[in-house]
Amino acid sequence: IQMTQSPSSLSASVGDRVTIACRASQGITNDLAWYQQKPGRAPKPLIYSASNLQSGVPSRFSGSGSGTDFTLTISGLQPEDFATYFCLQDHKYPLTFGGGTEVVI
Amino acid sequence: QLQLQESGPGLVKPSEILSLTCAVSGGSISSSLHYWAWIRRPPGKGLEWIGSIYYRGNTEYNPSLESRVAFSIDTSKNQFSMTFNSLTAADTAHYYCARRGQRSIDYWGQGTLVIVSS
């Protein structure tokens, strides 16, 4: 299953609302997760099952979608949110990631 | 709190075999609810799932890598391992071990950089 993420990069300011899209090449029900990664760090889990927040993740992060189209929204971008974001489908082997979206200032 | 820690060589020569181990602490690797995975990220590229192993030894591999990779699990030591052969420069990457369960991949090791170079 191919995961197409868009945009590949976006510029934003603190306080902005940011939306990142992920599209699957075939239906994956809601088996979609989102991760945040900063340079030199392991990915941090944000969302699982398309819309469920992982423990300890701020409520400004939200996810939506099902089937083939999904979005990650950050409402009120904070300085610590500037990072790269990846989607992951875990509906079918082999698991596949989107290409990533870099959120820059 | 569950923790995963990768260990292995940072530098490997082309055509040699890479062996990495992931030590799990703060939880049992024998959990029936979880799979244990290896994932990598080459410099400047995205994440790639290598495969996963269950505590009973069942494995799933990425077809693009399956001919070169093998996983094992040692429940007595609470750790799992990966061997990767026929290495080339394209295998240079940060390698992560991780846990996959009902909340998808929910724990990651800090990662280890492996450079393939002569």
Side-chain angles (χ1 to χ4, degrees):
Chain A
I1 299 174
Q2 305 268 21
M3 303 302 293
T4 303
Q5 203 172 322
S6 60
S8 58
S9 177
L10 67 89
S11 297
S13 301
V14 172
D16 283 354
R17 184 172 184 266
V18 167
T19 299
I20 298 169
C22 197
R23 173 167 287 178
S25 59
Q26 60 185 260
I28 59 171
T29 62
N30 68 338
D31 295 330
L32 191 285
W34 290 97
Y35 298 87
Q36 175 195 72
Q37 189 173 29
K38 297 180 179 180
R41 305 282 295 273
K44 174 186 176 182
L46 298 176
I47 302 277
Y48 68 97
S49 297
S51 60
N52 297 98
L53 240 56
Q54 294 276 10
S55 301
V57 175
S59 58
R60 63 180 180 272
F61 291 92
S62 63
S64 64
S66 67
T68 60
D69 292 297
F70 303 86
T71 57
L72 172 69
T73 300
I74 311 172
S75 301
L77 202 64
Q78 296 300 300
E80 60 268 30
D81 300 336
F82 291 95
T84 299
Y85 294 84
F86 293 94
C87 61
L88 164 72
Q89 69 81 15
D90 62 357
H91 181 73
K92 184 178 176 183
Y93 288 124
L95 306 191
T96 44
F97 292 88
T101 297
E102 186 181 17
V103 178
V104 299
I105 301 174
Chain B
Q1 177 78 347
L2 190 79
Q3 292 188 324
L4 296 88
Q5 179 67 59
E6 305 89 351
S7 61
L11 179 65
V12 185
K13 289 182 169 55
S15 78
E16 288 189 345
I17 296 174
L18 169 67
S19 292
L20 294 177
T21 294
C22 181
V24 179
S25 59
S28 174
I29 204 170
S30 299
S31 164
S32 61
L33 299 176
H34 299 104
Y35 292 79
W36 305 94
W38 289 98
I39 296 158
R40 68 179 183 177
R41 186 178 182 190
K45 296 188 177 181
L47 292 159
E48 180 178 36
W49 180 79
I50 301 171
S52 60
I53 187 166
Y54 193 53
Y55 79 99
R56 291 178 177 172
N58 314 64
T59 53
E60 287 283 349
Y61 298 117
N62 191 321
S64 67
L65 302 170
E66 186 169 15
S67 63
R68 300 195 290 136
V69 69
F71 296 166
S72 61
I73 192 162
D74 188 335
T75 55
S76 67
K77 294 183 178 179
N78 222 39
Q79 65 185 35
F80 60 106
S81 300
M82 172 180 71
T83 58
F84 209 129
N85 60 41
S86 304
L87 292 171
T88 71
D91 296 311
T92 293
H94 281 92
Y95 285 79
Y96 300 95
C97 59
R99 185 185 84 168
R100 179 188 178 215
Q102 293 177 328
R103 294 191 172 204
S104 192
I105 297 176
D106 57 355
Y107 283 92
W108 297 68
Q110 64 182 27
T112 185
L113 175 61
V114 175
I115 297 172
V116 181
S117 174
S118 55

